[in-house]
Amino acid sequence: MRLLLFILGTTPLVQPRTEFLKCTHRSNAYGAAWLARTELLARQPLSQNKNALEYASFHILIYSMRLGATALKAVDDSWWVNHISGYEHAVFKMKGKESSDTNVNAMVEILTNKLCVPRTTPPTSTLALIPFYGGLTRDGARNRGIDEETPNTGTAHSVSSGATKLKTLKAVLCSALSFCKAALVGVCTTGDYDSVNELIGTLPAGQARAVLLNCEKSPAYVPFKLLRMVQRHAKGNLNASQVAPAARGVVPWLSSLRYEFVLYDEADQTLHFEGTALRDIYDVLTQHPDYYVAPQRYEKGWGGIPRFVL
C-alpha cells in the first residue's frame, strides 16, 4: 500500500473529510468488497472465471490500473467490514465447532438487531451485489471430514450451517440496504434460491431480489456470473438470451433500475461507516470515476466477545 494521500477537494464545492490511500498491490487493495461507479464496470472487460471468490476483487483492480487508476482505501477505519466467517475460523480452530456456532450466532444476532432497522436517509443510487452459497465448501476444510468432491466457493473456509449463513446474509443485506437502493443476491442452487427468497420476504418489499445462476455444479462461478450479468446491463446489451432460463425473470427488474454505483460484497461481511466516510466515498468516486474504493477488512480474534463488534 503506497503511503500517498489521495488529495481530494479539486473543486471548492466538495470538501471531503476522509483521506484515502492509493493501493496498487492486490494484497493491500483487497477487502472482499468494493464500491465503484457503474460506468467503470461498463468500461471494463466482463468478469472472468478464475475459480476463486477473490477474483471478483482482483479483476476490478487489474482493469482500473490499466486506466491509470487503482483501489482507494480510507487511511483509517472509517469504512470497514466485519468478516464474520473469519471469526468463525478462529473460534473453530481454538475451541471447536460447538463454540464457533454459538459465538457466530450470538454475533449475528447483535448485528441483525443493530442493522435491520428502517432507513433514516434516502438511499444512494447504488445496486448491491452479493453472491451466496449455503452449502459446505472444500477450501480450507480438507481436514474436517469434507469430501474432496465438495464444491469450492462461497465463504470458502466456513463450516457454519446453512441456517447460520442465512442469518449472516440477512445482517449483510441490512447493512447494504441502509444506503443502497436495491440488492441482488446471486445463488447457484434451487435450495439456496428458495431460502434466500424466504429471507428477502422479511425485508421491506422491493428492495432485494435473488437470481438463480447456472452454476450448481461449480458454485465458485457465482461471483463472476453475477458480475457479468450486471456488467452487461451497464454496457447496455443485457437480454434474456444471455442468462440461464432460471435467471431470466430478474432481467426486467434489473433493466428497470437506474443506479450510478455498484457495491460488491461477500455474504459474510457486514458494512460499517464512521463519520462522514459514506458521503466522502461517493464524492471521491464522482470526481475520479476510474478509481474504486475498498473497505478495511477486520475480524474479531477467537478470544473476542461476540457482542463487542460495533
Side-chain angles (χ1 to χ4, degrees):
M1 186 178 292
R2 296 171 58 191
L3 295 177
L4 174 66
L5 293 184
F6 194 78
I7 305 302
L8 306 176
T10 56
T11 73
L13 298 178
V14 180
Q15 297 178 339
R17 302 171 190 171
T18 304
E19 295 179 314
F20 296 89
L21 294 168
K22 290 182 177 180
C23 305
T24 56
H25 191 279
R26 62 171 57 187
S27 64
N28 295 325
Y30 188 67
W34 44 260
L35 182 64
R37 291 189 64 90
T38 306
E39 66 182 77
L40 177 61
L41 299 191
R43 288 186 286 128
Q44 293 191 349
L46 293 177
S47 187
Q48 302 171 36
N49 169 28
K50 296 292 185 178
N51 201 37
L53 194 68
E54 294 81 4
Y55 196 72
S57 294
F58 299 152
H59 180 92
I60 192 172
L61 173 65
I62 291 167
Y63 289 100
S64 292
M65 292 181 70
R66 292 184 183 181
L67 293 171
T70 190
L72 300 175
K73 280 190 174 181
V75 298
D76 53 16
D77 58 358
S78 54
W79 183 28
W80 58 281
V81 293
N82 175 38
H83 183 206
I84 297 168
S85 68
Y87 176 57
E88 177 220 330
H89 311 331
V91 178
F92 182 97
K93 182 177 179 180
M94 298 302 297
K95 296 186 175 182
K97 191 170 188 313
E98 183 176 352
S99 290
S100 70
D101 288 346
T102 299
N103 285 20
V104 168
N105 277 290
M107 175 183 282
V108 169
E109 182 178 3
I110 294 294
L111 289 165
T112 302
N113 290 339
K114 175 71 174 182
L115 298 169
C116 294
V117 296
R119 288 174 177 154
T120 57
T121 58
T124 61
S125 181
T126 306
L127 172 65
L129 302 179
I130 303 172
F132 176 80
Y133 180 64
L136 292 176
T137 58
R138 187 180 71 250
D139 190 17
R142 294 178 179 84
N143 298 321
R144 302 184 191 178
I146 294 178
D147 189 271
E148 285 294 322
E149 298 302 316
T150 299
N152 188 28
T153 187
T155 48
H157 303 276
S158 176
V159 292
S160 287
S161 68
T164 296
K165 289 178 180 177
L166 279 168
K167 292 176 185 176
T168 302
L169 174 64
K170 181 172 183 177
V172 174
L173 276 169
C174 288
S175 70
L177 290 170
S178 67
F179 67 97
C180 296
K181 71 186 301 182
L184 183 60
V185 181
V187 299
C188 285
T189 69
T190 55
D192 281 348
Y193 182 73
D194 292 341
S195 296
V196 171
N197 271 320
E198 184 176 350
L199 182 158
I200 287 172
T202 68
L203 301 174
Q207 291 186 7
R209 292 288 294 266
V211 58
L212 179 57
L213 302 166
N214 184 24
C215 49
E216 183 168 5
K217 294 183 179 179
S218 300
Y221 297 172
V222 64
F224 99 90
K225 284 182 175 287
L226 181 61
L227 283 165
R228 284 171 81 99
M229 174 182 286
V230 172
Q231 280 185 282
R232 284 194 171 105
H233 180 228
K235 293 174 184 286
N237 58 17
L238 176 67
N239 60 68
S241 66
Q242 295 171 318
V243 299
R248 291 174 185 169
V250 84
V251 172
W253 176 82
L254 187 60
S255 298
S256 70
L257 288 177
R258 296 291 180 267
Y259 51 94
E260 298 177 57
F261 301 88
V262 172
L263 168 74
Y264 174 85
D265 188 23
E266 294 182 5
D268 61 339
Q269 299 191 141
T270 51
L271 304 142
H272 305 272
F273 298 89
E274 310 292 345
T276 62
L278 182 62
R279 185 204 72 184
D280 297 343
I281 289 167
Y282 282 97
D283 284 346
V284 75
L285 291 176
T286 299
Q287 295 177 57
H288 303 282
D290 292 344
Y291 288 80
Y292 70 97
V293 183
Q296 304 287 2
R297 193 185 200 207
Y298 297 135
E299 52 195 45
K300 187 178 288 293
W302 69 269
I305 300 173
R307 69 176 181 273
F308 295 150
V309 69
L310 297 173

